[in-house]
Amino acid sequence: VSTLQMTSGGGTISGQGRLELQGWIPDKYHFSLAGEGFQLINLSDLAIQVSPDLMIDGNFDTIRVRGSLGFPRVMIEDQTRSRVVNNSPDLVIVDRQSPARQPSTLRHDIDVNLILKEQVLLNVAGLQARIAGSLRLYSDAQQAITAQGRLFVERGRFSTYGVSLDIERGDLYYAGVPL
């Protein structure tokens, strides 16, 4: 692919790549993606714009992803009006067949920085907050996805039962443990 370009929501993504064949069978691939403010999802309760700068390569046994993925705008809004009662965590259903999980044969080698930018807004379960920060996601030798970094509330409010509380500080640290 010599040139790929997409536009959505006023933003763009462009890329290029190559697929190598061995005996007319796909063998290796290499792609690069870059963009700014690309509208990835636009629903009434979820809107996501991304600004990628990624290199993706590998073969059909392993995928390698490097770079950064910025989120200039994310809006998550809970629009449910009724609360569904969930089963208790200690509920056991006797004789229930659980589907057999097929282990993935595709190995991954990931090292990507996720950067929350100007407008990352949550409005769920009484919480209204603007979130910022960054996380480094990477895979370890055991194929676990691990995070390292900090997310924090820049501005927020929590309301429940007629009481509204301003959030002065809210930090969430990821210290390099599997997610």
Side-chain angles (χ1 to χ4, degrees):
V1 177
S2 62
T3 303
L4 164 73
Q5 186 155 353
M6 296 183 285
T7 302
S8 177
T12 61
I13 287 183
S14 59
Q16 61 184 8
R18 74 174 186 274
L19 175 64
E20 297 177 15
L21 303 176
Q22 185 167 357
W24 293 103
I25 298 173
D27 183 42
K28 297 178 185 174
Y29 54 89
H30 175 80
F31 295 98
S32 62
L33 287 174
E36 191 66 39
F38 183 80
Q39 188 77 44
L40 187 63
I41 298 174
N42 192 15
L43 303 172
S44 61
D45 57 348
L46 177 64
I48 300 175
Q49 285 183 352
V50 294
S51 296
D53 185 11
L54 298 171
M55 303 292 282
I56 304 164
D57 58 19
N59 53 36
F60 289 90
D61 294 326
T62 303
I63 184 170
R64 182 175 177 258
V65 182
R66 297 283 186 270
S68 66
L69 186 59
F71 295 90
R73 183 174 176 270
V74 175
M75 184 275 304
I76 302 171
E77 187 163 342
D78 182 12
Q79 294 185 345
T80 59
R81 298 292 178 229
S82 65
R83 301 287 179 216
V84 176
V85 177
N86 293 327
N87 292 329
S88 170
D90 61 349
L91 174 69
V92 176
I93 300 175
V94 179
D95 296 331
R96 180 181 204 176
Q97 298 292 327
S98 59
R101 298 183 85 195
Q102 295 289 337
S104 174
T105 59
L106 182 65
R107 298 194 47 83
H108 48 77
D109 179 8
I110 298 170
D111 194 350
V112 175
N113 288 313
L114 304 179
I115 303 161
L116 304 185
K117 295 187 177 180
E118 301 86 29
Q119 293 184 335
V120 178
L121 307 171
L122 295 177
N123 187 5
V124 293
L127 173 67
Q128 295 176 326
R130 180 175 168 201
I131 309 296
S134 64
L135 291 178
R136 176 180 170 232
L137 293 182
Y138 56 96
S139 55
D140 61 17
Q142 290 76 32
Q143 295 293 287
I145 302 293
T146 303
Q148 187 171 16
R150 173 181 171 236
L151 300 179
F152 56 95
V153 176
E154 281 192 333
R155 182 178 70 239
R157 176 171 289 215
F158 180 72
S159 301
T160 187
Y161 299 111
V163 176
S164 182
L165 304 170
D166 288 333
I167 299 173
E168 293 180 6
R169 183 174 146 203
D171 296 310
L172 184 58
Y173 291 92
Y174 292 86
V177 295
L179 296 178

